[in-house]
Amino acid sequence: MVTVTVWNEYRHEKESEEVADVYPDGIHEVIADGLRDAGYEVNTATLDEPEHGLTEAVLDETDVLTWWGHKAHDEVSDEIAARVVERVRDGMGLLVLHSGHYSKPFKRLMGTSCSLKWREAGEKERVWTVEPSHPITDGLPESFEVPRAEMYGEHFDIPAPDELVFTSWFEGGEVFRSGCCYTRGKGRIFYFRPGHETYPIYEQDEIRTVLDNAVEWAAPGDGPDPFYGNADPLEDLD
Amino acid sequence: MVTVTVWNEYRHEKESEEVADVYPDGIHEVIADGLRDAGYEVNTATLDEPEHGLTEAVLDETDVLTWWGHKAHDEVSDEIAARVVERVRDGMGLLVLHSGHYSKPFKRLMGTSCSLKWREAGEKERVWTVEPSHPITDGLPESFEVPRAEMYGEHFDIPAPDELVFTSWFEGGEVFRSGCCYTRGKGRIFYFRPGHETYPIYEQDEIRTVLDNAVEWAAPGDGPDPFYGNADPLEDLD
Amino acid sequence: MVTVTVWNEYRHEKESEEVADVYPDGIHEVIADGLRDAGYEVNTATLDEPEHGLTEAVLDETDVLTWWGHKAHDEVSDEIAARVVERVRDGMGLLVLHSGHYSKPFKRLMGTSCSLKWREAGEKERVWTVEPSHPITDGLPESFEVPRAEMYGEHFDIPAPDELVFTSWFEGGEVFRSGCCYTRGKGRIFYFRPGHETYPIYEQDEIRTVLDNAVEWAAPGDGPDPFYGNADPLEDLD
Amino acid sequence: MVTVTVWNEYRHEKESEEVADVYPDGIHEVIADGLRDAGYEVNTATLDEPEHGLTEAVLDETDVLTWWGHKAHDEVSDEIAARVVERVRDGMGLLVLHSGHYSKPFKRLMGTSCSLKWREAGEKERVWTVEPSHPITDGLPESFEVPRAEMYGEHFDIPAPDELVFTSWFEGGEVFRSGCCYTRGKGRIFYFRPGHETYPIYEQDEIRTVLDNAVEWAAPGDGPDPFYGNADPLEDLD
């Protein structure tokens, strides 16, 4: 069975009544509930726990890590960020959600600034599938609306995705590559744009379906562990 | 359960004693046996059957089609080739094996000449994994040898693969992109180089593992069926 | 100097007063004028000329071919379509414009249906650059508007582009991958969405800049001509 | 005119007689000579200069930076490495040569370990073109030999290249993706494998041709400078 650790910064919910109204137990609990309903083994971890809840022991048991952070990216220690990056390279799946685009692990894995345009106006987003053959689209309609969303707009400063699954339309006139797949080492990474602390986006059916599918897609496989370093020849040299 | 149709030209085996010694019941039976052992529902079809064994009814029941052809590509009717192409676009998986690079369905799906260098000298091939995160590499070592192989060498005139999984080394000095993933419409395509009529390559464990994994990877998903054509606006137009 | 052949179906202009008002000498002349201003050597060719104006002699002198067609794709002979495809594989650049997505050469080079959503409502399109490092974006703003456009919407049934340069936003709620780069054989292909027979889109500055840049990008290089066929070993075989 | 800064660690040459025999003035001077012959404006910079010779003023004048390092990657300061990364994202081209795969700038731009197999046995390498449409292959044969090379073998732990231009064959039985193109922000990056401190590889004609072409390919363009941050809507919001 695939084991998921749902990580959340978990600050907005404790500091803002508006956010607490939407996510009273924290965004992580809503995401975790959705994944539990899909049959995954799910644990949660948050910034203010020791080692941000991401001890070696926790990561040993984690197949896929989901990451939500926004206002405290800098408080994630370099050591834990490096630990997450290392785990991804070793095969752990990583789902980076919404404002997690600016998190330390994602920026280090991408090698770019991960900058974008943004606007908080509660506008409409429409998410279009551009790769209907991709397993992350299983069970989805070809497009769906997020009624009230924070806008993220291009240019999104990321490496060209290995697979571009979704592109968003925004009421205010922007577009955004909102579902992006990457491989780094043996690990698979999926960035998914929708999701905000003041809108109940993680309770929306289509969003839950995407996260369910993405966990399955990102779960570690059983490919070879390459040898790196000084290697003897496999053929006779002249 | 995933249903596979193993298609074979099935001419060499009937015309050459050397080939019949290696594949007495046809290459398709050896491939089919391997896939049955992996738990798939497997049927076979061959060129000289009516409609080449690929009737609409057969394809209705086919999740993944594997294709082996070599000396009679031109005898595949344009109609059946078009039918296969259409099915792939609609979601059927396609595994194109070895000399199938020159088959009508593959060339039409690629849009290139699919030309390459070749040599029959029974030389050694070593298949290297270049994408160990890919599910088609599950259970494989990071490289494996095919003791006696027909050489295929670059330049291989294909579109740049969506995912390059394997690259082969040849004793005679060539390299080859030997495991290539593509998406066309809703269908997934995997080209796999090893396999020849005069060598028992399809009985080799690593080759069987690749084919088992590739069938699972290429099996149709449940993504959206996009609407194409004249579309009403989803938003009010000024 | 790069030589461009601007091909146009050239039927709408002769049959519709509305179109003739916008493009009195044909769409090809407006496109050709823009490219001439950029310093290219430019000729034109149209459907109703012998061999559709695309004789072997013409193509011998063509570095980059631009293609505009809409209502008469089926009247392009299979032979000439095959000739164009062959030339692209041999290194000729190809710019496929707007409704050319359904042309024979483009469909054969892509291997997909090239289907899409469409709507003629004179709505606003905004073209966003998603790859500002790409030479086709030289001199452009990060987005620009096409005031009145035919809508093309996803899903666009194409292979995932080798490079995705532009994505369009439409007033009616759709998005579209509107600038797509491909390589087929030695030839480079650029699909560019904007452009319609009833709007003066090819007179718009940003559109002209894109076409100028795309011609330069698609012009043939001087890479190796690979040998295909039976090859002697480069190393001693055991 | 394109201005190139050729950076070299420049330690082997001062510490090893064997290396000094091959590159008496340093590897950088041989690389620089080749690029000067191609008509570029070329300067050099080395590790032991103040700020490693990569001051803001020097980088202001640099269109393309080439990077050769091997034994002292750790002595490159984090600050200068970050400065180089930032410049690449802002559009400066970067050519990473041979053992530069383990340099700080390259690892940060890739987000992976950049590990590989290696062996110093003076064996033969054969570099094959796998993308003959790419401008970096202009003027090259479809393959060429490096008579005596250090072996680098797969798995090379890099993100899948945006464009894979070359793949190497090694006498000892390995293959390697030896010419890899990437985009990060507005900058273009080319990794090129051949080149070693004890072999006169940078004096070989084909190698010089590759570097000349790669500089031209990586030189900054004139694409848009995207705005990042809080953006006003371009359309009226309901």
Side-chain angles (χ1 to χ4, degrees):
Chain A
M1 179 187 283
V2 174
T3 299
V4 185
T5 298
V6 173
W7 193 87
N8 184 14
E9 188 180 278
Y10 198 26
R11 288 280 176 84
H12 286 289
E13 301 92 326
K14 291 184 282 189
E15 295 170 10
S16 154
E17 218 167 296
E18 184 195 3
V19 177
D21 280 353
V22 182
Y23 294 107
D25 301 315
I27 287 176
H28 52 292
E29 287 301 339
V30 173
I31 294 172
D33 279 350
L35 294 174
R36 282 186 195 111
D37 287 353
Y40 297 113
E41 175 77 27
V42 183
N43 303 300
T44 64
T46 57
L47 178 64
D48 292 328
E49 296 175 45
E51 303 185 42
H52 312 324
L54 299 173
T55 61
E56 298 283 8
V58 163
L59 293 176
D60 282 346
E61 300 300 314
T62 300
D63 294 311
V64 178
L65 177 68
T66 76
W67 193 278
W68 198 101
H70 181 218
K71 62 187 291 187
H73 293 311
D74 285 349
E75 295 183 46
V76 173
S77 79
D78 283 347
E79 187 195 338
I80 302 299
R83 185 186 290 171
V84 167
V85 165
E86 203 59 42
R87 291 283 177 157
V88 171
R89 291 173 180 167
D90 288 347
M92 183 180 75
L94 180 67
L95 270 55
V96 178
L97 304 177
H98 189 59
S99 45
H101 73 91
Y102 257 160
S103 64
K104 287 184 180 179
F106 188 60
K107 288 199 292 184
R108 291 183 190 188
L109 287 160
M110 294 296 103
T112 56
S113 73
C114 301
S115 296
L116 44 74
K117 287 184 184 60
W118 59 272
R119 178 173 58 240
E120 289 194 80
E123 70 202 89
K124 190 192 290 182
E125 172 182 13
R126 185 174 290 106
V127 180
W128 287 95
T129 296
V130 295
E131 194 54 86
S133 70
H134 201 282
I136 289 179
T137 70
D138 280 1
L140 288 177
E142 65 169 325
S143 75
F144 61 90
E145 293 181 14
V146 178
R148 299 186 64 221
E150 181 186 16
M151 184 282 294
Y152 279 8
E154 296 283 347
H155 175 245
F156 185 18
D157 183 26
I158 47 171
D162 294 337
E163 298 170 303
L164 176 62
V165 182
F166 301 115
T167 295
S168 287
W169 174 99
F170 287 95
E171 196 179 347
E174 289 87 359
V175 297
F176 196 76
R177 289 169 292 174
S178 50
C180 300
C181 295
Y182 295 94
T183 292
R184 291 291 180 271
K186 291 191 65 179
R188 288 173 229 163
I189 302 163
F190 182 62
Y191 174 78
F192 189 51
R193 199 214 79 81
H196 191 60
E197 66 274 13
T198 59
Y199 311 118
I201 288 173
Y202 292 116
E203 296 181 354
Q204 189 174 331
D205 279 352
E206 295 95 339
I207 303 295
R208 291 192 164 207
T209 298
V210 170
L211 297 186
D212 294 352
N213 292 341
V215 164
E216 189 174 340
W217 173 81
D222 184 31
D225 289 307
F227 167 80
Y228 300 111
N230 194 349
D232 287 330
L234 300 160
E235 303 289 324
D236 290 338
L237 299 177
D238 284 345
Chain B
M1 179 186 284
V2 174
T3 299
V4 185
T5 298
V6 173
W7 192 86
N8 183 14
E9 188 180 279
Y10 198 26
R11 289 279 176 85
H12 287 290
E13 301 93 326
K14 290 184 281 191
E15 295 169 10
S16 153
E17 217 167 299
E18 184 195 3
V19 177
D21 280 353
V22 182
Y23 293 108
D25 301 314
I27 286 176
H28 53 292
E29 287 301 339
V30 173
I31 294 172
D33 279 350
L35 294 174
R36 282 185 196 111
D37 287 352
Y40 297 112
E41 176 77 28
V42 184
N43 302 301
T44 65
T46 57
L47 178 64
D48 292 327
E49 297 174 44
E51 303 185 42
H52 312 324
L54 299 173
T55 61
E56 298 283 8
V58 163
L59 293 176
D60 282 347
E61 301 299 316
T62 300
D63 294 311
V64 178
L65 177 68
T66 76
W67 193 279
W68 199 101
H70 182 218
K71 62 186 293 186
H73 292 311
D74 285 351
E75 295 183 46
V76 173
S77 80
D78 283 346
E79 185 195 340
I80 302 299
R83 185 185 290 171
V84 167
V85 164
E86 203 59 43
R87 292 281 178 157
V88 171
R89 291 172 180 168
D90 288 347
M92 183 179 74
L94 180 66
L95 269 55
V96 178
L97 305 177
H98 189 61
S99 46
H101 73 93
Y102 258 159
S103 64
K104 287 183 180 179
F106 188 61
K107 288 199 292 183
R108 291 182 188 188
L109 287 161
M110 294 296 103
T112 55
S113 73
C114 301
S115 296
L116 45 75
K117 288 185 183 60
W118 59 272
R119 177 173 61 241
E120 290 195 79
E123 71 203 88
K124 189 193 292 181
E125 172 181 15
R126 184 174 291 107
V127 180
W128 286 95
T129 295
V130 294
E131 194 55 84
S133 71
H134 201 283
I136 289 179
T137 70
D138 280 359
L140 288 178
E142 65 169 325
S143 75
F144 62 90
E145 294 181 14
V146 178
R148 301 184 65 221
E150 181 185 15
M151 185 283 294
Y152 279 8
E154 296 283 345
H155 177 244
F156 184 19
D157 183 25
I158 47 171
D162 293 336
E163 298 171 302
L164 176 62
V165 182
F166 301 115
T167 296
S168 288
W169 175 99
F170 288 95
E171 196 179 346
E174 288 87 359
V175 297
F176 196 76
R177 289 169 291 174
S178 50
C180 300
C181 295
Y182 295 95
T183 292
R184 291 291 180 270
K186 291 191 65 178
R188 287 172 231 164
I189 302 163
F190 182 63
Y191 174 78
F192 189 51
R193 199 214 79 80
H196 191 60
E197 66 274 13
T198 60
Y199 310 119
I201 288 172
Y202 292 116
E203 296 181 352
Q204 188 173 332
D205 279 351
E206 294 95 339
I207 302 296
R208 291 192 163 207
T209 298
V210 170
L211 296 186
D212 294 352
N213 292 340
V215 164
E216 189 175 339
W217 173 82
D222 184 31
D225 289 308
F227 167 80
Y228 299 111
N230 194 349
D232 287 330
L234 300 161
E235 304 289 326
D236 290 338
L237 298 177
D238 283 343
Chain C
M1 179 186 282
V2 173
T3 300
V4 185
T5 299
V6 173
W7 192 87
N8 184 14
E9 188 181 278
Y10 198 26
R11 290 279 176 83
H12 287 289
E13 300 92 327
K14 292 184 281 189
E15 295 171 10
S16 153
E17 217 166 299
E18 184 196 3
V19 177
D21 280 352
V22 183
Y23 293 108
D25 301 315
I27 288 177
H28 52 293
E29 287 301 339
V30 174
I31 294 172
D33 278 351
L35 294 174
R36 281 185 196 111
D37 286 352
Y40 297 112
E41 174 77 28
V42 184
N43 302 300
T44 64
T46 56
L47 179 63
D48 292 327
E49 297 174 44
E51 304 185 44
H52 313 323
L54 299 173
T55 61
E56 298 282 9
V58 163
L59 294 176
D60 282 347
E61 301 300 315
T62 301
D63 294 310
V64 178
L65 176 68
T66 77
W67 192 278
W68 199 101
H70 182 217
K71 62 186 292 189
H73 293 310
D74 285 350
E75 294 183 47
V76 173
S77 80
D78 284 345
E79 186 194 341
I80 301 298
R83 184 186 290 172
V84 167
V85 165
E86 202 59 42
R87 292 281 178 158
V88 172
R89 291 173 181 167
D90 288 347
M92 182 180 74
L94 180 66
L95 270 53
V96 178
L97 304 177
H98 188 59
S99 46
H101 72 93
Y102 257 159
S103 65
K104 286 183 180 179
F106 189 61
K107 289 199 293 183
R108 290 182 189 189
L109 287 160
M110 294 296 104
T112 56
S113 74
C114 301
S115 295
L116 45 72
K117 289 186 184 60
W118 58 273
R119 177 173 60 241
E120 290 194 80
E123 71 203 88
K124 189 192 293 181
E125 172 181 14
R126 185 174 290 107
V127 180
W128 286 95
T129 296
V130 295
E131 194 56 84
S133 70
H134 201 283
I136 289 179
T137 70
D138 279 1
L140 289 177
E142 66 169 324
S143 75
F144 61 90
E145 293 182 14
V146 178
R148 299 185 65 221
E150 181 186 14
M151 185 283 294
Y152 279 8
E154 296 282 347
H155 177 243
F156 184 19
D157 184 26
I158 47 172
D162 293 338
E163 297 171 302
L164 176 63
V165 182
F166 302 115
T167 296
S168 288
W169 175 99
F170 287 94
E171 196 179 347
E174 289 87 359
V175 297
F176 196 75
R177 289 169 292 174
S178 51
C180 300
C181 296
Y182 295 94
T183 292
R184 292 290 181 271
K186 291 191 66 179
R188 287 173 231 164
I189 302 163
F190 182 62
Y191 174 78
F192 189 50
R193 197 213 81 79
H196 190 61
E197 67 273 13
T198 59
Y199 311 119
I201 289 173
Y202 292 116
E203 295 180 353
Q204 188 173 332
D205 279 352
E206 295 95 338
I207 302 295
R208 289 191 166 208
T209 298
V210 170
L211 297 186
D212 294 352
N213 293 340
V215 164
E216 188 175 339
W217 173 82
D222 184 32
D225 289 307
F227 167 80
Y228 299 110
N230 194 350
D232 287 331
L234 300 161
E235 302 290 325
D236 290 338
L237 298 177
D238 282 344
Chain D
M1 178 186 282
V2 174
T3 300
V4 185
T5 298
V6 173
W7 192 87
N8 184 14
E9 187 180 279
Y10 198 27
R11 289 281 177 84
H12 286 290
E13 300 92 326
K14 292 183 282 190
E15 295 170 10
S16 153
E17 220 167 295
E18 184 195 2
V19 176
D21 280 352
V22 182
Y23 294 108
D25 301 315
I27 287 177
H28 52 293
E29 288 301 339
V30 173
I31 294 172
D33 279 350
L35 295 173
R36 283 186 195 110
D37 287 352
Y40 297 113
E41 174 77 27
V42 184
N43 303 300
T44 65
T46 57
L47 178 64
D48 292 328
E49 297 174 44
E51 304 186 42
H52 312 324
L54 299 173
T55 62
E56 297 284 8
V58 163
L59 294 175
D60 282 346
E61 300 300 314
T62 301
D63 294 310
V64 178
L65 177 68
T66 76
W67 193 278
W68 199 100
H70 182 217
K71 62 186 292 187
H73 293 310
D74 285 350
E75 294 183 47
V76 173
S77 80
D78 284 345
E79 186 195 340
I80 303 298
R83 184 185 291 172
V84 167
V85 165
E86 203 59 41
R87 291 281 178 158
V88 171
R89 290 173 181 167
D90 288 347
M92 182 180 74
L94 180 66
L95 270 53
V96 178
L97 305 177
H98 189 59
S99 45
H101 72 92
Y102 256 158
S103 64
K104 286 184 181 178
F106 188 61
K107 289 199 293 184
R108 290 182 190 188
L109 287 160
M110 295 295 104
T112 57
S113 73
C114 301
S115 295
L116 45 74
K117 288 186 184 60
W118 58 272
R119 177 174 59 241
E120 290 194 80
E123 71 203 88
K124 189 193 291 180
E125 173 181 12
R126 185 175 290 106
V127 180
W128 285 95
T129 295
V130 295
E131 194 56 85
S133 70
H134 201 283
I136 289 179
T137 70
D138 280 1
L140 288 177
E142 67 169 323
S143 75
F144 61 91
E145 293 181 15
V146 179
R148 300 185 65 219
E150 182 186 14
M151 184 282 294
Y152 279 7
E154 296 283 347
H155 176 244
F156 184 17
D157 183 25
I158 47 171
D162 293 337
E163 298 171 302
L164 176 62
V165 182
F166 302 115
T167 295
S168 287
W169 175 99
F170 287 94
E171 196 179 347
E174 289 87 359
V175 298
F176 196 76
R177 289 169 291 174
S178 51
C180 300
C181 295
Y182 295 94
T183 291
R184 291 291 180 271
K186 290 191 65 179
R188 287 172 230 164
I189 302 163
F190 182 60
Y191 174 79
F192 189 50
R193 197 216 79 79
H196 190 60
E197 66 274 13
T198 59
Y199 311 120
I201 289 174
Y202 292 116
E203 296 180 352
Q204 188 173 333
D205 279 352
E206 295 95 339
I207 302 295
R208 289 191 166 208
T209 297
V210 170
L211 296 186
D212 294 351
N213 293 340
V215 164
E216 189 175 339
W217 173 81
D222 185 31
D225 289 307
F227 167 80
Y228 300 111
N230 194 350
D232 287 331
L234 300 160
E235 303 289 326
D236 290 338
L237 298 177
D238 284 343

